[in-house]
Amino acid sequence: MRKYYIKAIGMLILGLNSITLLGQQDAQYTQYMYNTISVNPAYAGSRDVLSIVGLHRNQWVGIDGAPRTSTLSLHTPLGRKRRVGLGGSVIQDEIGPSEETYMSLDFSYTIPTSENGKLSFGLKGTAQLINVDFSKLNINEISDPQYARDVDNRFNPNVGVGLYYHNEKTYVGLSVPNLLETEHFDRDNFVGNQSSGVTAKENMNFYLIAGHVFNLSDDLLLKPAILTKLVYGAPLQVDLSANFLIHDKFIIGGAYRWDAAFSALAGFQISDSLLIGFAYDREITELERYNDGSFELMLRFELFQKYSRVITPRFF
């Protein structure tokens, strides 16, 4: 039964007539609170250190062609006043027969709003490469000209913007990582007067993120957080999470993706520089019957800390 879902996934991506590459739109993460730079360029430099994050996600394990995402990102503040932030990221996203690579550069400028509060403005520039291998699909009509030519490194540029406010315990962000809604087809794949080419489309994804840290005791912190994503043609996505930080070392928590999945999260601050995190999602949709859940592994490494020790541990 599981193998049939590669065809279903492929048909959702490709459609029946004119082929449209929609995928999941922007990649999905459960540990989004540690990977904010991927959705909001204004986050660049906000941690006051050089921060490097690697994240790998296997979604719907057990279903052939299910999404897999790998991300590597870094960002750092620049200048004596550290008001300029610079970052970059590479995201590899695979689903069914399609493979997308995103390479982004992020720039931010921060304005102090109070003794502890800061407001940042961000710009993102992205180069997207799309590949589609139709041989991975179970195609009934092999001679159909729509599937006669693979898509090879189709290039799409994009730009994004973001706002990000934070103080020692609270953050709020609003962003659109891809402002350009690109749509095009392969002019080489014409049959008569009909285009059998591949249409690639990127819709705007609107993100709202927020979180707050509560001091429950000297050795116990609680941080609830929310991520809301809105994109045309897809249901509103709302991710709710709550994480506990114990003795500045251990992180444990849970999350709920509205009408989609429950998640368990855990992390360990190995040193002042190195954090490892793990997340497991369990579907509550019909797909739950056909997969073994989704897994994420995250590593964050930070250099050039401003203080010898982080007085208020940062979840964000």
Side-chain angles (χ1 to χ4, degrees):
M1 174 65 75
R2 292 181 179 183
K3 291 185 177 180
Y4 288 103
Y5 273 84
I6 176 59
K7 185 174 182 180
I9 291 172
M11 297 310 290
L12 284 172
I13 302 169
L14 301 177
L16 296 173
N17 296 307
S18 177
I19 304 168
T20 302
L21 295 179
L22 292 175
Q24 295 187 117
Q25 294 297 316
D26 288 353
Q28 176 176 282
Y29 308 98
T30 297
Q31 298 176 97
Y32 57 85
M33 64 288 295
Y34 304 115
N35 195 37
T36 307
I37 189 69
S38 67
V39 299
N40 193 332
Y43 187 77
S46 66
R47 289 188 59 80
D48 288 328
V49 295
L50 171 62
S51 183
I52 305 170
V53 174
L55 191 151
H56 179 75
R57 176 180 176 86
N58 268 18
Q59 189 165 324
W60 305 334
V61 172
I63 296 180
D64 292 339
R68 292 189 303 173
T69 304
S70 297
T71 300
L72 179 63
S73 64
L74 62 87
H75 63 102
T76 184
L78 298 174
R80 183 175 61 86
K81 294 185 177 181
R82 307 172 78 84
R83 291 189 180 182
V84 173
L86 189 64
S89 60
V90 178
I91 300 174
Q92 184 82 13
D93 199 20
E94 301 175 25
I95 177 171
S98 71
E99 179 181 294
E100 298 176 75
T101 301
Y102 299 84
M103 293 168 285
S104 300
L105 288 176
D106 301 282
F107 172 85
S108 72
Y109 186 78
T110 299
I111 299 174
T113 58
S114 65
E115 183 178 350
N116 296 314
K118 297 178 181 180
L119 178 63
S120 302
F121 303 84
L123 293 174
K124 178 185 288 285
T126 301
Q128 177 199 34
L129 297 176
I130 302 175
N131 292 279
V132 183
D133 182 358
F134 293 117
S135 66
K136 295 181 179 180
L137 291 176
N138 297 321
I139 302 172
N140 294 328
E141 297 292 335
I142 300 178
S143 60
D144 192 325
Q146 292 186 129
Y147 310 105
R149 187 184 297 238
D150 292 339
V151 179
D152 187 22
N153 287 329
R154 180 61 48 79
F155 172 76
N156 287 316
N158 220 315
V159 293
V161 295
L163 291 172
Y164 183 75
Y165 170 82
H166 76 279
N167 56 33
E168 291 182 349
K169 293 187 177 181
T170 302
Y171 71 89
V172 179
L174 179 64
S175 60
V176 185
N178 47 350
L179 286 171
L180 303 180
E181 293 188 312
T182 57
E183 183 173 351
H184 61 86
F185 54 84
D186 186 347
R187 296 181 181 273
D188 295 332
N189 282 358
F190 269 95
V191 179
N193 292 325
Q194 300 294 321
S195 170
S196 62
V198 175
T199 298
K201 185 174 183 180
E202 282 291 318
N203 290 329
M204 284 194 291
N205 289 247
F206 296 85
Y207 287 89
L208 174 64
I209 59 175
H212 183 78
V213 178
F214 295 93
N215 289 74
L216 302 183
S217 71
D218 291 340
D219 297 319
L220 182 63
L221 303 180
L222 168 65
K223 192 207 71 176
I226 184 171
L227 177 147
T228 302
K229 181 170 74 170
L230 176 65
V231 57
Y232 176 77
L236 177 68
Q237 179 181 315
V238 179
D239 286 33
L240 303 170
S241 66
N243 284 297
F244 293 92
L245 177 64
I246 306 169
H247 293 293
D248 294 353
K249 289 290 185 182
F250 302 98
I251 299 171
I252 188 168
Y256 173 62
R257 182 169 297 120
W258 201 269
D259 284 339
F262 284 102
S263 307
L265 300 93
F268 179 60
Q269 191 75 46
I270 298 175
S271 67
D272 286 344
S273 299
L274 184 60
L275 170 69
I276 184 170
F278 179 81
Y280 172 74
D281 301 351
R282 192 66 187 174
E283 289 286 318
I284 57 174
T285 66
E286 186 67 19
L287 275 175
E288 188 271 337
R289 299 166 52 193
Y290 305 105
N291 74 90
D292 298 319
S294 303
F295 297 84
E296 278 186 14
L297 179 65
M298 183 274 300
L299 290 172
R300 185 178 71 194
F301 183 69
E302 297 184 323
L303 293 172
F304 312 127
Q305 294 207 16
K306 194 174 181 181
Y307 305 104
S308 61
R309 156 173 208 280
V310 179
I311 298 173
T312 302
R314 288 283 302 276
F315 283 96
F316 50 89

